[in-house]
Amino acid sequence: MEFDILNDLLSDTVSRLFSPKPLFKDIRRPQIQPVVDNLIDTRQIRSATSSTSISQQASFQEPRTVSLDQWIQNFGPQKLAESLQRLNIDLTRLTKRDLESMNMDQLQNEKKRVKNELKSYDAQFQGIFNRFPLRQEKEPMRPLYIYYKKLKQYIDKAPQIPARTIQTNTEIQKRIDDLKKKRAELREILNTFQNDFTQNHNRKIRFHRDIAPVEREYKQYKDIKLEIQRLEQMIKK
């Protein structure tokens, strides 16, 4: 039994010696191809990553190439159309009767919606040019600014004091005098803030965000000013 196994082993060895196939084929042919394939895959990945990075940079920088003329002539009108669509209004068909039919809540809500659209325009402009638009650069949104101004006018026209509480011109004049005192106090606050702002920032107040610390006082000042005008008109009648 042992001799049979030995013979089988010897026969197999002799057979390999005379076989035309090389005994060391694995040593003579190192596996270079998988390494090359891996190298190609790595280069392809790097190339794809580089292309993606370049593409992303180009995509990010593309809006920066927009000139002011292009913005005012092309992008600005497009922003106006998008705003009107979101507001669902057609300014060419808007009439005085449409505004008069709104109650105070509707006017206030509409004013807020329009103001948000105007702020959105400023923010998009700032995102491209790294500054807020100047007055002439807001020209594409002029129709919406006019609409916003009309809304404010209708809101301001709403009576602030019930008519039945004022019976004589003397009472009206007293109310006017009280309001003027309050207006003078607010004007002093606003003037002080303006002087401090100019001194600290080396420029005058230009943007809405500049008056954020005194926005409440500024609104009170405007409301009181309009109320004084309204009461003075009542006396003239």
Side-chain angles (χ1 to χ4, degrees), residues 64 68 71 75-76 79-80 82-83 86 114-142 144-145 148 206-210:
R64 304 277 179 181
L68 282 174
W71 175 272
F75 289 90
K79 300 302 179 185
L80 173 62
E82 292 172 357
S83 293
R86 282 190 292 268
V114 174
K115 186 174 182 179
N116 288 337
E117 292 296 330
L118 295 174
K119 283 185 175 182
S120 175
Y121 176 89
D122 291 349
Q124 291 176 8
F125 185 96
Q126 184 187 27
I128 293 177
F129 299 103
N130 292 322
R131 63 175 176 80
F132 280 94
L134 302 176
R135 182 172 183 178
Q136 62 269 23
E137 293 161 352
K138 297 182 180 182
E139 190 65 24
M141 302 294 283
R142 173 186 284 272
L144 207 54
Y145 273 100
Y148 179 77
R206 292 173 54 192
F207 308 114
H208 179 77
R209 66 174 184 272
D210 294 340

Side-chain angles (χ1 to χ4, degrees), residues 23-35:
L23 291 175
F24 305 101
K25 61 181 180 179
D26 292 338
I27 298 177
R28 293 177 183 178
R29 292 180 56 117
Q31 295 181 356
I32 297 176
Q33 190 60 33
V35 177

Side-chain angles (χ1 to χ4, degrees), residues 42-227:
T42 303
R43 289 176 177 175
Q44 289 175 343
I45 292 171
R46 290 179 179 174
S47 176
T49 304
S50 177
S51 298
T52 302
S53 177
I54 293 173
S55 176
Q56 290 175 347
Q57 292 178 3
S59 176
F60 176 76
Q61 294 176 355
E62 183 177 358
R64 304 277 179 181
T65 62
V66 176
S67 66
L68 282 174
D69 289 340
Q70 288 175 326
W71 175 272
I72 294 174
Q73 296 176 9
N74 300 323
F75 289 90
Q78 179 181 347
K79 300 302 179 185
L80 173 62
E82 292 172 357
S83 293
L84 294 177
Q85 185 176 6
R86 282 190 292 268
L87 293 170
N88 193 26
I89 57 175
D90 183 356
L91 295 180
T92 61
R93 297 183 179 181
L94 190 69
T95 63
K96 182 179 179 181
R97 182 176 298 178
D98 294 326
L99 295 175
E100 291 175 345
S101 64
M102 294 183 182
N103 58 37
M104 180 57 66
D105 290 338
Q106 290 173 330
L107 288 170
Q108 293 283 8
N109 183 60
E110 185 72 355
K111 176 188 169 186
K112 182 178 180 180
R113 293 173 64 225
V114 174
K115 186 174 182 179
N116 288 337
E117 292 296 330
L118 295 174
K119 283 185 175 182
S120 175
Y121 176 89
D122 291 349
Q124 291 176 8
F125 185 96
Q126 184 187 27
I128 293 177
F129 299 103
N130 292 322
R131 63 175 176 80
F132 280 94
L134 302 176
R135 182 172 183 178
Q136 62 269 23
E137 293 161 352
K138 297 182 180 182
E139 190 65 24
M141 302 294 283
R142 173 186 284 272
L144 207 54
Y145 273 100
I146 294 175
Y147 180 50
Y148 179 77
K149 185 177 180 180
K150 287 182 179 179
L151 289 170
K152 287 185 63 178
Q153 289 173 347
Y154 274 85
I155 292 172
D156 293 339
K157 286 180 181 178
Q160 302 294 325
I161 301 176
R164 62 177 179 274
T165 62
I166 299 177
Q167 298 177 353
T168 66
N169 287 348
T170 302
E171 292 174 336
I172 295 175
Q173 187 60 52
K174 184 178 183 304
R175 174 63 177 166
I176 292 174
D177 294 338
D178 292 339
L179 289 174
K180 285 183 176 181
K181 290 180 181 179
K182 182 63 177 177
R183 183 182 66 178
E185 295 173 2
L186 292 171
R187 184 190 293 120
E188 182 66 24
I189 294 173
L190 295 174
N191 285 338
T192 301
F193 174 80
Q194 181 176 344
N195 293 335
D196 292 342
F197 182 93
T198 302
Q199 183 176 0
N200 294 333
H201 297 83
N202 295 322
R203 66 174 177 85
K204 294 182 179 180
I205 294 174
R206 292 173 54 192
F207 308 114
H208 179 77
R209 66 174 184 272
D210 294 340
I211 65 170
V214 292
E215 186 172 4
R216 183 172 63 87
E217 288 80 1
Y218 179 72
K219 184 177 185 305
Q220 287 180 351
Y221 179 84
K222 290 179 62 179
D223 292 341
I224 289 176
K225 183 178 179 181
L226 291 171
E227 181 66 5

